[in-house]
Amino acid sequence: MECRVRFAPSPTGPLHIGGLRTALYNYLFAKKNGGKFIIRIEDTDSQRFVPGAEAYIMEALQWCGLKPDEGVSEGGPHAPYRQSERKAIYKQYADELLAKGMAYYAFDTADTLENLRREAESRGEAFAYNAQCRTKLQTSLALPAEEVQARIARGDAYVIRFKTPENRTVEMDDLIRGKMQVSTETLDDKVLYKSADGLPTYHLANIVDDHLMQITHVIRGEEWLPSLPLHYLLYEAFGWQDSRPAFAHLPLLLKPQGQGKLSKRDGDKFGFPVFPLVWHDPKSGEMSKGYREEGYFPEAVVNMLALVGWNPGTEQELFSLAELAEAFSLEKVSKAGARFNPEKARWFNAQYLRMRSDEALGKLILKDLQAKYGAMAASVATASTASKVPAGITESTAAEIAGLFKERVCFPAEITGWAAMLYVRPDTYQENGLKKFDKPEHREALRQVLGFMKQQSAGPWAGAGADMGVGRSAGVGSIMENDTLAFIREKAYPMGQVLSLFRLALTGNAQGPNVFPLVAFMGVDEAASRLNILLDN
């Protein structure tokens, strides 16, 4: 039988990063087994429906490259894939359970149920709607059949509840957690259908839809584990045991620190997103951060999430989506909750940033560079004497800048910050750097080094790098570096001290990037001007 899995989100708000991981694991499992990945929108909770949530969920999945084989947009042989459009289907299955004596009508009002809860609490107990009370309340198990029909005919509100079998042990299998047993004495009679809106609850709708859509594996979050006994009983009640899907309940994503499930509050506290895309709450107007808008690459988010709760069994950490699908198996998913590490998420993004070409990164940061430094670039000659790069910030210049700094950042926007040292002369200097490196002998050595570089730029370096294209600064910088370091060694100058003072003059900080690509980009004349500003103070 073809492997068929479904991700079935409810449009009651933005897609949590934990929900995205559930979608990812479903996708990977389907692709590993040559099956189908299906998206079904479970929008039967009309009270909690949030406008825009469904579109948000679909956009988030698309951003991560999790393309469904069947779904709301794609269609398929089991359409429609939005439960509100399948409304007519569910009542017949609820009626089937009623006819079999496996469900019953309940006419209890909200006030009646609230009073029962309070009474139970006053006795130090928790109220459960079960075999102990279902024949004592306003149900079809207690009322005459004529009265039940009369109430329905006059439009009284009712729900249909599942009649949980008494004195049974439900034996279950989970692909992650193994065999489990639950006594039906611990279960309550869940609502399956509500006459108020004519919609089923999750329990009925998802069982019916999974059966009709021929779902073979249900891979969902650990929070649904308490519902598994009911779902087993529903498959039995319908006579669908032979086609019941295999179940796998994924571990929770845990807070970076402390106990409990990862929440938006944790993201706010530690400064990282818990949603894939930025979310504007239509009710409160509140905005929540998104990984996309914070500068994360979708490949990094997918790679990071895959490894939170699943271990490939190797030392490999960087996987493409196709490689993840090839390696994935539910047997290697952890039973225990997986702690979320925001620093590891940053690390993954840095790796994928460095895989990007300079040209691709340059296009991402071009507008920011132009907005921040465009006027300076137009008025100050930033071209190297050797490479003759035109002044101004073009796509080529942005790519050049990306190449200079991408090994030092986690996000593209950070490159724009580093680029300040190319266009803005420092007006202050690191105090510790001055104390350590600004010595008379180091100043004199640096003057000699700069003199050598000026001489070379007018002679042997002239025209160097003319054919290098993007990466010119690094290429010319390498030529400068080799020749200049040889000069420093020949003169027996203290290498580290002289270069640290050089960097201090260029950037204001004694620590940072290699000075020679910076000089190649800004030009030896600009480097000399910055050095003189420091030496003249």
Side-chain angles (χ1 to χ4, degrees):
M1 190 174 182
E2 180 186 53
C3 171
R4 292 174 61 82
V5 301
R6 49 66 166 181
F7 178 59
S10 177
T12 55
L15 180 63
H16 186 274
I17 201 75
L20 181 60
R21 186 191 64 170
T22 299
L24 172 62
Y25 283 8
N26 273 276
Y27 176 90
L28 297 178
F29 186 83
K31 298 309 168 187
K32 174 64 178 286
N33 293 284
K36 295 289 194 298
F37 173 59
I38 299 154
I39 299 295
R40 186 174 71 227
I41 300 297
E42 298 196 341
D43 58 345
T44 59
D45 192 343
S46 56
Q47 298 293 320
R48 297 174 59 219
F49 175 79
V50 174
E54 180 184 323
Y56 175 97
I57 292 166
M58 300 309 295
E59 186 178 353
L61 295 177
Q62 182 181 32
W63 179 65
C64 290
L66 307 184
K67 179 175 172 45
D69 299 295
E70 299 173 24
V72 173
S73 301
E74 294 74 18
H78 301 286
Y81 292 88
R82 187 181 290 111
Q83 284 186 337
S84 60
E85 298 172 5
R86 300 170 63 83
K87 185 175 178 179
I89 296 174
Y90 307 114
K91 182 62 164 59
Q92 70 184 70
Y93 288 98
D95 288 342
E96 179 181 332
L97 293 180
L98 286 167
K100 289 180 175 180
M102 295 176 176
Y104 59 92
Y105 294 104
F107 298 93
D108 313 287
T109 66
D111 289 342
T112 298
L113 295 176
E114 182 59 29
N115 289 333
L116 289 171
R117 290 189 187 95
R118 288 177 180 173
E119 289 175 12
E121 289 173 2
S122 69
R123 300 190 301 269
E125 301 172 357
F127 172 69
Y129 205 122
N130 56 22
Q132 308 307 313
C133 66
R134 63 195 179 199
T135 58
K136 302 172 185 177
L137 299 173
Q138 299 294 298
T139 71
S140 58
L141 300 176
L143 299 171
E146 298 80 6
E147 184 176 346
V148 171
Q149 293 307 314
R151 288 190 176 203
I152 294 173
R154 69 173 177 250
D156 286 7
Y158 66 84
V159 298
I160 298 175
R161 289 182 178 272
F162 181 66
K163 187 180 178 183
T164 304
E166 297 182 65
N167 302 315
R168 282 273 310 276
T169 297
V170 184
E171 296 184 348
M172 302 161 290
D173 286 308
D174 186 277
L175 294 175
I176 295 173
R177 299 160 195 281
K179 294 187 179 299
M180 297 173 286
Q181 292 183 340
V182 170
S183 169
T184 57
E185 301 308 297
T186 65
L187 306 178
D188 56 354
D189 293 354
K190 295 294 187 186
V191 174
L192 302 178
Y193 182 87
K194 303 161 290 175
S195 69
D197 56 13
L199 288 172
T201 62
Y202 168 84
H203 301 295
L204 177 64
N206 101 89
I207 292 298
V208 169
D209 284 343
D210 284 348
H211 174 73
L212 295 179
M213 294 181 181
Q214 301 178 323
I215 300 303
T216 61
H217 298 78
V218 172
I219 304 169
R220 60 189 181 186
E222 180 183 312
E223 61 270 23
W224 292 110
L225 196 55
S227 299
L228 187 58
L230 169 63
H231 296 170
Y232 259 69
L233 290 170
L234 282 169
Y235 275 104
E236 179 185 294
F238 284 120
W240 297 338
Q241 300 96 314
D242 292 343
S243 61
R244 183 182 60 218
F247 288 88
H249 289 84
L250 305 175
L252 295 176
L253 285 189
L254 303 178
K255 301 170 179 284
Q257 299 176 17
Q259 302 298 313
K261 182 179 177 180
L262 178 69
S263 69
K264 178 182 176 299
R265 190 175 294 111
D266 299 309
D268 294 339
K269 179 180 178 180
F270 295 105
F272 64 90
V274 296
F275 302 123
L277 316 178
V278 69
W279 169 252
H280 297 275
D281 192 312
K283 295 181 179 178
S284 67
E286 182 182 2
M287 187 195 80
S288 300
K289 292 179 180 179
Y291 276 88
R292 180 178 65 183
E293 290 74 18
E294 290 294 297
Y296 284 85
F297 296 107
E299 304 95 318
V301 173
V302 165
N303 197 156
M304 174 270 296
L305 271 183
L307 296 176
V308 184
W310 170 75
N311 190 321
T314 67
E315 296 299 315
Q316 183 177 352
E317 288 191 280
L318 298 179
F319 292 83
S320 67
L321 192 58
E323 289 171 334
L324 285 171
E326 179 64 28
F328 186 76
S329 69
L330 288 172
E331 289 77 11
K332 294 178 181 177
V333 173
S334 170
K335 296 182 180 67
R339 194 169 294 282
F340 187 81
N341 184 345
E343 287 306 311
K344 192 66 174 181
R346 290 173 55 87
W347 179 86
F348 272 107
N349 209 61
Q351 307 314 305
Y352 280 90
L353 184 148
R354 291 163 195 170
M355 293 180 196
R356 290 287 199 282
S357 68
D358 295 352
E359 291 89 344
L361 285 174
K363 289 178 182 178
L364 290 178
I365 62 175
L366 177 60
K367 289 184 179 179
D368 286 344
L369 288 172
Q370 290 173 334
K372 197 164 186 179
Y373 308 117
M376 300 175 194
S379 60
V380 177
T382 61
S384 162
T385 302
S387 59
K388 306 296 183 186
V389 178
I393 303 178
T394 62
E395 281 194 11
S396 177
T397 310
E400 199 77 21
I401 292 170
L404 290 176
F405 300 115
K406 71 179 186 180
E407 296 294 327
R408 312 187 70 84
V409 302
C410 294
F411 304 100
E414 293 176 339
I415 296 174
T416 304
W418 278 94
M421 64 180 61
L422 301 174
Y423 294 106
V424 183
R425 293 175 177 178
D427 53 10
T428 60
Y429 301 96
Q430 181 190 34
E431 186 175 345
N432 289 341
L434 287 173
K435 289 180 180 179
K436 188 172 182 179
F437 302 113
D438 190 16
K439 311 292 184 184
E441 61 273 23
H442 299 160
R443 287 185 170 214
E444 180 55 33
L446 189 52
R447 283 193 179 95
Q448 297 300 320
V449 168
L450 196 60
F452 168 79
M453 295 181 73
K454 281 186 172 183
Q455 185 179 50
Q456 295 296 105
S457 65
W461 292 348
D467 299 323
M468 289 182 180
V470 174
R472 187 186 296 110
S473 296
V476 174
S478 179
I479 296 170
M480 288 183 172
E481 183 172 10
N482 290 335
D483 292 350
T484 305
L485 294 186
F487 175 79
I488 292 174
R489 283 191 288 268
E490 179 187 337
K491 298 295 185 180
Y493 296 144
M495 182 82 69
Q497 289 87 336
V498 170
L499 293 181
S500 293
L501 184 59
F502 198 174
R503 187 180 294 107
L504 193 68
L506 292 180
T507 69
N509 200 307
Q511 291 80 39
N514 187 336
V515 297
F516 296 102
L518 302 183
V519 174
F521 183 93
M522 68 179 65
V524 174
D525 290 342
E526 172 64 15
S529 297
R530 295 189 185 195
L531 177 61
N532 289 330
I533 292 172
L534 174 64
L535 298 182
D536 290 344
N537 285 338

